């Protein structure tokens, strides 16, 4: 009966991820029960996070209270969040899965390809928009089987359609996972990222800042595999990819980037956030609410939490960047008053910059001083006249 009625529960699905899960659900009754238990746990855990509503609703308001600091910008090491005019992100860790328990139980599995800009929760694009309301967000939908480099090319083409893009600061977040590469030495995710950086350097060499999330850390997904049997089954197909996502290759990429892709107009920062990442822990086990129904992508909640940590990391000096990501809430970080820029290896070592006291009236201090002197002189003149008249009256 299971196999006869299952097609009714699982109609036509969109995307390779959903198709593979549907295929497994259609042929494995034991996995079917495990997966139903997984999505029920995720749904319950999402409901248990009572602090989410207040935190998510207030995060952007808190950023709006950050002080505005005007500076003289002379290159990538003096890039303020206010200066960013074009935003883009890509990679399997840049999208999320929708979670609706009723629809999931009815077999309505989506592609887990939803961009951060479509989320109702705070994400990086919305955080940048607090500081620049005119921010342009580039979204390119990933096609099934499309390589990471081809995604980079598609984003580049979209950026080049913007008038005056050469003179606008562009920030591009590369958030890859092992799914963005192949299970081979030459096709693994780190190599794909390097090729993408090379392409951007050739085609967007001016005013481009790239932030890469290093994804060699396996802690999040190892925890998921240990936490639930359905996740163990879902992630099993990626085992051979894990062997080709080594720390050593990422270290080599980092060396190449430092030697070849760091200048005043184009730079790359690689964040170690996931090096020792792990799922948050609840009293009764691991918190699976940050992951989607496929255990590989983020949930909408999980993507927002990741973006909070990326925001904090990019505004922190190299020595202060966390390597132990946990999908939990953090207070939003304002740019540091002593170095109010997106941090690089250069401005983490020495942060030199010139502050503009008032960009509308650069001569304001001098004007105020002259005004005070003029008023003082006028008061002295009036006082002298008054004294003279007083003396004259006394004499008469």
């Amino acid at each position: 009966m299971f196999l006869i009625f299952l097609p009714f529960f699982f109609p036509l699905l969109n995307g390779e991820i959903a198709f593979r899960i549907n295929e497994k659900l259609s042929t494995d009754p034991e996995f079917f029960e495990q997966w139903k238990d997984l999505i029920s746990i995720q749904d319950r855990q999402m409901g248990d996070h009572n602090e989410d509503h207040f935190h998510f609703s207030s995060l952007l308001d808190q950023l709006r209270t950050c002080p505005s600091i005007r500076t003289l910008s002379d290159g990538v090491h003096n890039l303020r969040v206010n200066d960013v005019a074009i935003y883009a992100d890509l990679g399997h860790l840049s999208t999320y899965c929708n979670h609706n328990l009723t629809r999931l139980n009815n077999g309505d599995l989506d592609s887990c390809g939803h961009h951060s800009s479509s989320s109702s929760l705070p994400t990086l694009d919305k955080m940048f928009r607090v500081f620049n309301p005119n921010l342009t967000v580039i979204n390119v939908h990933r096609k099934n089987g499309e390589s990471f480099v081809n995604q980079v090319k598609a984003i580049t083409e979209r950026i080049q359609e913007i008038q005056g893009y050469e003179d606008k600061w562009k920030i591009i977040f590369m958030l890859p996972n092992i799914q963005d590469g192949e299970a081979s030495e030459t096709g693994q995710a780190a190599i794909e990222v390097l090729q993408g950086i090379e392409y951007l350097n050739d085609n967007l060499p001016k005013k481009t800042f790239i932030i890469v999330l290093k994804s060699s850390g396996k802690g999040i997904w190892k925890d998921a595999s240990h936490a639930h049997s359905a996740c163990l089954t879902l992630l099993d197909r990626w085992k051979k990819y894990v062997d080709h996502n080594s720390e050593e290759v990422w270290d080599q990429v980092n060396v190449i980037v430092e030697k070849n892709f760091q200048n005043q107009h184009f730079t790359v920062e690689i964040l170690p956030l996931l090096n020792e990442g792990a799922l948050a822990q609840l009293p009764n086990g691991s918190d699976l609410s940050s992951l989607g129904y496929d255990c590989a992508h983020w949930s909408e909640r999980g993507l927002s939490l990741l973006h909070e940590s990326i925001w904090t990391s990019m505004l922190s000096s190299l020595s202060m960047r966390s390597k132990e990501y946990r999908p939990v809430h953090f207070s939003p970080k304002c740019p540091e008053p002593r170095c109010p820029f997106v941090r690089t290896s250069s401005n983490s070592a020495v942060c030199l910059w010139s502050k503009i006291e008032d960009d509308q009236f650069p001569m304001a201090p001098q004007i105020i001083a002259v005004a005070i002197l003029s008023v003082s002189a006028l008061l002295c003149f009036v006082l002298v006249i008054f004294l003279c008249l007083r003396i004259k009256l006394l004499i008469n």
Side-chain angles (χ1 to χ4, degrees), residues 35 50 129 321 365:
W35 183 78
N50 298 319
R129 187 164 272 136
R321 285 177 178 166

Side-chain angles (χ1 to χ4, degrees), residues 69-87 128 131-132 135 166-173 206-211 263-269 311 314-316 321 334-336 338-348 350-354:
I69 301 176
R70 296 292 298 165
T71 67
L72 293 172
S73 177
D74 57 358
V76 72
H77 304 299
N78 295 115
L79 177 65
R80 302 172 308 145
V81 291
N82 313 56
D83 300 321
V84 175
I86 299 172
Y87 170 97
F128 276 101
F131 297 89
N132 181 4
L135 181 75
E166 302 98 331
D167 298 317
K168 296 178 179 180
W169 276 108
K170 301 163 283 290
I171 194 160
I172 300 172
F173 288 87
K206 186 179 178 184
K207 289 196 170 184
T208 299
F209 199 119
I210 300 172
I211 294 180
N263 58 60
Q264 282 293 94
H265 305 288
F266 184 100
T267 197
V268 181
E269 283 296 311
W311 177 269
M314 76 174 192
L315 293 177
S316 301
R321 285 177 178 166
C334 291
E336 296 179 11
R338 65 180 185 84
C339 193
F341 311 113
V342 180
R343 304 306 292 270
T344 65
S345 56
S346 178
N347 65 31
S348 290
V350 179
C351 193
L352 300 175
W353 54 286
S354 300

Side-chain angles (χ1 to χ4, degrees), residues 107-157:
D108 188 3
L109 281 64
D110 64 43
S111 63
C112 292
H114 302 282
H115 286 282
S116 58
S117 58
S118 69
S119 173
S120 61
L121 303 179
T123 49
L124 283 165
D125 56 300
K126 301 174 187 67
M127 297 177 198
F128 276 101
R129 187 164 272 136
V130 167
F131 297 89
N132 181 4
N134 298 317
L135 181 75
T136 298
V137 177
I138 302 296
N139 287 326
V140 175
H141 291 285
R142 181 177 61 245
K143 300 174 183 177
N144 287 342
E146 185 177 30
S147 71
F148 188 84
V149 174
N150 283 340
Q151 293 175 56
V152 172
K153 291 179 180 179
I155 285 175
T156 302
E157 290 175 4

Side-chain angles (χ1 to χ4, degrees), residues 358 360-369:
D358 193 314
Q360 285 187 314
F361 302 102
M363 297 295 292
Q366 294 90 328
I367 293 173
I368 292 172

Side-chain angles (χ1 to χ4, degrees), residues 142 247 304 376:
R142 181 177 61 245
E247 185 78 18
S304 181
S376 299

